[in-house]
Amino acid sequence: MRSLLFLVLISICWAEPHSDNSSLEHERIIHIQENGPRLLVVAEQTKVFTHRGGNVTLPCKFYHEHTSTAGSGTHKIRVKWTKLTSDYLKEVDVFVAMGHHRKSYGNYQGRVFLKESSENDASLIITDIMLEDYGRYKCEVIEGLEDDTAVVALDLKGVVFPYSPRLGRYNLNFHEAQQACRGQDAVIATFDQLYEAWRAGLDWCNAGWLSDGSVQYPITKPREPCGGRNTVPGVRNYGFWDKDKSRYDVFCFTSNFNGRFYYLIHPTKLTYDEAVQACLKDGAQIAKVGQIFAAWKLLGYDRCDAGWLADGSVRYPISRPRKRCSPNEAAVRFVGFPDKKHKLYGVYCFRAYN
């Protein structure tokens, strides 16, 4: 008898709804709604491009399958944007909206809001783009028990460059590598950024940290000291290492800047301290490594004069290879870390625009 009653209950719970079922309990109504048109979330573009300091819209719209309606009207729509970490294992809260309530998080506060061009538009506008904004974002729309997601990649136009400090190669743990990039107007590069740089021709034989904690290096011209002559070109992967104890170089990423990068015309060559003061006297600051790479790569800056930079290194940017000025390739040439007190060079300055 109990078995028969159990079967009867099952058949009732899964019966199709009829117009005379006005006495159904609340739980059954919710169940019937779940079997209705499915909520769908769609990104019209899976990747958008922008630059540092700009504004961008991450597209996201929602609707119900086989209908033109945005929502059922029974439940409030909740929109949540998160940023995915490079390994997809974590999500960083960016923005949440439900009804008239809005909340943004972290360094996104005051910079993000919904576009809301229509009732089903959950697109996110990010203003004053930062280097750290690069990455993949998830748009999640929730209505009652229904939810769906879409992922949009935010890409920045920029340049990847290898970096090691005055102490020499393989002297940075992961945390020091992050700080080293920040100190040069950059952030630690992602694997995707390094891969794109390799595709564009970056060849570097020293292994460096990436943002996911891995250690890798790009090779376009296989040779004996860099994996061997018989290996194929590619991004070599050393794997994941102890972020506190292991020491390598770092690959940094920077983008365009809001200012003027220039070689200071001065009657004499300068020591490092004199170079710093000369830029200040000119209403600027001594330029950083990230700024010389951005000027070279993004603006085509070309100057065959070695000059001091903020980290105490001496470099010069060549966009048009020629005799006595990087004859074989366009590059930011590295002279070294000379004695700050006794060696004399020119200087590269940077003046920020207000």
Side-chain angles (χ1 to χ4, degrees):
M1 184 66 182
R2 287 184 178 179
S3 299
L4 178 60
L5 179 59
F6 180 72
L7 290 173
V8 171
L9 287 172
I10 290 178
S11 64
I12 291 174
C13 289
W14 290 95
E16 291 294 322
H18 297 284
S19 58
D20 59 348
N21 287 343
S22 58
S23 62
L24 290 176
E25 294 182 356
H26 182 63
E27 287 78 6
R28 269 200 70 190
I29 295 174
I30 293 177
H31 176 73
I32 292 170
Q33 287 179 342
E34 282 189 283
N35 287 336
R38 186 164 61 92
L39 179 69
L40 296 177
V41 175
V42 176
E44 296 171 344
Q45 294 174 263
T46 57
K47 179 180 283 191
V48 295
F49 295 85
T50 187
H51 56 83
R52 178 164 55 173
N55 302 331
V56 71
T57 299
L58 304 183
C60 180
K61 291 189 176 181
F62 61 94
Y63 57 93
H64 282 90
E65 192 175 29
H66 307 310
T67 74
S68 59
T69 59
S72 66
T74 306
H75 302 282
K76 284 187 177 181
I77 299 293
R78 183 173 186 261
V79 176
K80 182 178 182 181
W81 279 92
T82 56
K83 185 180 181 184
L84 305 174
T85 56
S86 55
D87 55 10
Y88 285 87
L89 296 178
K90 295 180 181 179
E91 297 181 17
V92 177
D93 290 338
V94 175
F95 182 85
V96 175
M98 186 172 181
H100 297 294
H101 299 286
R102 303 283 191 274
K103 185 174 182 180
S104 53
Y105 297 85
N107 63 11
Y108 294 99
Q109 293 184 47
R111 298 194 300 123
V112 293
F113 53 94
L114 293 183
K115 184 177 181 181
E116 297 181 299
S117 62
S118 61
E119 64 177 4
N120 68 325
D121 188 3
S123 302
L124 186 73
I125 296 176
I126 307 179
T127 62
D128 193 19
I129 292 293
M130 302 177 178
L131 295 176
E132 294 84 356
D133 293 338
Y134 171 94
R136 292 176 176 85
Y137 291 78
K138 185 175 79 173
C139 172
E140 181 178 17
V141 179
I142 304 167
E143 183 187 22
L145 299 179
E146 288 282 322
D147 73 277
D148 195 21
T149 62
V151 175
V152 184
L154 173 58
D155 201 354
L156 294 181
K157 184 179 181 181
V159 56
V160 171
F161 61 94
Y163 186 78
S164 57
R166 174 179 287 274
L167 294 173
R169 70 193 292 263
Y170 297 172
N171 266 289
L172 300 170
N173 66 25
F174 178 77
H175 311 291
E176 292 166 343
Q178 287 181 309
Q179 290 298 324
C181 289
R182 291 192 190 105
Q184 300 309 317
D185 193 39
V187 292
I188 189 168
T190 67
F191 170 78
D192 288 344
Q193 289 168 335
L194 182 64
Y195 178 76
E196 289 302 318
W198 167 76
R199 289 184 59 190
L202 180 61
D203 182 278
W204 196 255
C205 200
N206 291 350
W209 291 104
L210 295 178
S211 63
D212 62 357
S214 66
V215 176
Q216 310 194 36
Y217 64 99
I219 295 297
T220 58
K221 300 182 286 289
R223 52 201 183 275
E224 225 27 78
C226 305
R229 293 178 181 273
N230 299 322
T231 57
V232 297
V235 178
R236 307 275 193 266
N237 190 345
Y238 274 18
F240 295 88
W241 292 80
D242 188 307
K243 291 183 177 181
D244 295 312
K245 297 179 181 179
S246 300
R247 295 189 172 273
Y248 292 96
D249 291 348
V250 62
F251 289 98
C252 303
F253 173 83
T254 193
S255 185
N256 65 309
F257 44 70
N258 185 30
R260 179 190 171 213
F261 173 89
Y262 61 101
Y263 181 83
L264 180 65
I265 303 302
H266 196 273
T268 63
K269 298 297 184 182
L270 308 162
T271 65
Y272 176 80
D273 289 338
E274 290 170 342
V276 171
Q277 292 303 315
C279 287
L280 290 173
K281 187 176 180 180
D282 201 51
Q285 293 182 326
I286 188 169
K288 298 179 179 180
V289 176
Q291 291 162 347
I292 194 173
F293 271 96
W296 164 74
K297 183 70 173 181
L298 305 177
L299 303 178
Y301 195 92
D302 181 280
R303 184 91 192 189
C304 197
D305 292 289
W308 290 106
L309 294 174
D311 67 338
S313 66
V314 172
R315 308 174 194 243
Y316 59 99
I318 298 298
S319 296
R320 301 184 301 276
R322 54 200 181 275
K323 189 176 181 180
R324 291 184 294 183
C325 295
S326 187
N328 298 320
E329 62 178 351
V332 174
R333 309 305 299 179
F334 176 63
V335 176
F337 285 93
D339 185 312
K340 289 183 175 182
K341 294 182 182 295
H342 301 100
K343 295 296 183 179
L344 303 176
Y345 291 96
V347 60
Y348 288 98
C349 303
F350 179 78
R351 182 184 297 128
Y353 296 148
N354 295 327

